[in-house]
Amino acid sequence: MSLANHIPYVRSTYAPAEMLERAQQYYQQLDARRTVREFADTPVAKAVIEQLILAASSAPSGAHKQPWTFCVVGDAEMKRKIREAAEEEERRNYAGRMSDEWLQDLAQFGTDANKPFLEVAPWLIIVFRKSYDLTEEGKRNNYYVQESVGIACGFLLTAIHQAGLVALTHTPSPMNFLCDILQRPANEKPFLLIPVGYPAPNAQVPDIKRKGLEDVAVFY
Ligand code: IYR
C-alpha cells in the first residue's frame, strides 16, 4: 500500500543478542524510577522542560490529534495559588471523601493533605486533555483521549527520569480549580499535575517492591 502522503519508515534494527541487551538495559533504567514527594527548590532550566514536553508530545494519539496541552508553571505566586486550592480539596478528601479502604491502602505512603511540593518544586507541569478541538470552523472531535493523554504522560515520566530529574503523579481531585487558575478554554480538562525537579537532599521513598513478570504477564 502506498498513499500519497506516506514516506518510507527508516530505522535501524538490532541483532537478537543486542536486542535483548538493549531491552534489559532499558528495563533496568526504568526500574530505577521512583515517585518522589520531597523536592529540592533547585532551579531546572526551562530549556530542559521544553525538551521533556516535546518527548511527551511524541506519543501516539487517536487519529494523531495530540489531544493535550502541557501547562508549565514556574511562577511562585501561581504555584502558591495552586497549592492553596489543592490542599483545600485534599483536606476534604482525607477528612471524608476517601473511603476507609482507600486511606488504609495509602497509609504506607505517609501522604496527607499537606502538599508543600506544589511550591517547592521548580516546575509544575499540569497536563490537560482536550475532549475536542476548538478550530476556526468550530468543534472537531478527538478520539481515545484518555488513552492518548495517559500514554503521553507515561512518555513524560520516562523523559523526566532519563534527564536525571524526579516527578510525582499528583491528582488533587477534583481538579477543576486548575481550569480557573490557569484560565483554560472549555475544551480542556485537567488530567494530571506533575511537579518536576531535583529530589530533596534527604528525600526518602517507601520501600515498595514491584510485581514480578509472572504476576503481570500471561503468554499464550
Ligand atoms: N490525591 C491524594 C490522595 C492519593 C491518592 C492516591 I490513589 C495515591 O496513590 C496517593 C495519594 C494525595 O495526593 O494525597
Side-chain angles (χ1 to χ4, degrees):
M1 190 178 73
S2 184
L3 294 172
N5 66 344
H6 279 46
I7 54 172
Y9 173 73
V10 185
R11 193 170 176 258
S12 55
T13 184
Y14 307 99
E18 193 186 351
M19 184 184 283
L20 181 57
E21 177 66 23
R22 290 176 67 93
Q24 284 167 336
Q25 276 185 7
Y26 194 58
Y27 158 55
Q28 279 165 14
Q29 211 173 306
L30 286 196
D31 197 38
R33 185 203 57 78
R34 292 301 311 262
T35 291
V36 169
R37 291 187 167 77
E38 297 166 291
F39 288 79
D41 62 3
T42 314
V44 171
K46 185 179 168 196
V48 171
I49 303 297
E50 288 172 349
Q51 296 305 309
L52 300 177
I53 289 172
L54 285 172
S57 196
S58 75
S61 60
H64 187 53
K65 294 280 192 161
Q66 298 182 267
W68 43 66
T69 302
F70 297 89
C71 293
V72 187
V73 179
D75 177 73
E77 177 56 17
M78 200 170 257
K79 286 197 285 182
R80 194 192 60 72
K81 277 190 191 154
I82 291 173
R83 176 182 180 181
E84 198 174 294
E87 288 183 338
E88 197 175 316
E89 292 297 350
E90 295 292 18
R91 277 193 290 274
R92 290 195 202 132
N93 289 335
Y94 282 90
R97 282 201 297 223
M98 286 151 77
S99 66
D100 287 345
E101 181 183 353
W102 193 346
L103 291 171
Q104 274 168 31
D105 280 339
L106 282 186
Q108 63 163 321
F109 302 103
T111 59
D112 59 27
N114 276 333
K115 305 298 174 194
F117 52 76
L118 292 173
E119 282 191 275
V120 176
W123 298 105
L124 306 178
I125 303 179
I126 298 104
V127 187
F128 283 82
R129 64 179 167 88
K130 295 163 97 167
S131 32
Y132 55 92
D133 275 337
L134 281 173
T135 71
E136 276 158 25
E137 298 98 63
K139 287 187 183 182
R140 299 284 299 175
N141 274 330
N142 288 332
Y143 310 94
Y144 300 104
V145 171
Q146 301 277 4
E147 292 85 345
S148 302
V149 181
I151 295 167
C153 287
F155 276 36
L156 179 59
L157 294 173
T158 56
I160 291 166
H161 172 64
Q162 207 279 142
L165 295 169
V166 295
L168 168 62
T169 39
H170 183 43
T171 50
S173 57
M175 298 198 282
N176 306 341
F177 65 87
L178 292 165
C179 303
D180 301 332
I181 295 177
L182 300 171
Q183 301 193 320
R184 301 317 302 163
N187 63 326
E188 294 189 10
K189 299 279 175 265
F191 187 78
L192 207 55
L193 194 171
I194 307 177
V196 182
Y198 291 88
N202 302 314
Q204 294 209 323
V205 293
D207 186 17
I208 51 164
K209 300 280 172 281
R210 293 191 165 115
K211 290 180 179 176
L213 187 61
E214 62 286 0
D215 297 315
V216 299
V218 183
F219 287 81
Y220 296 91

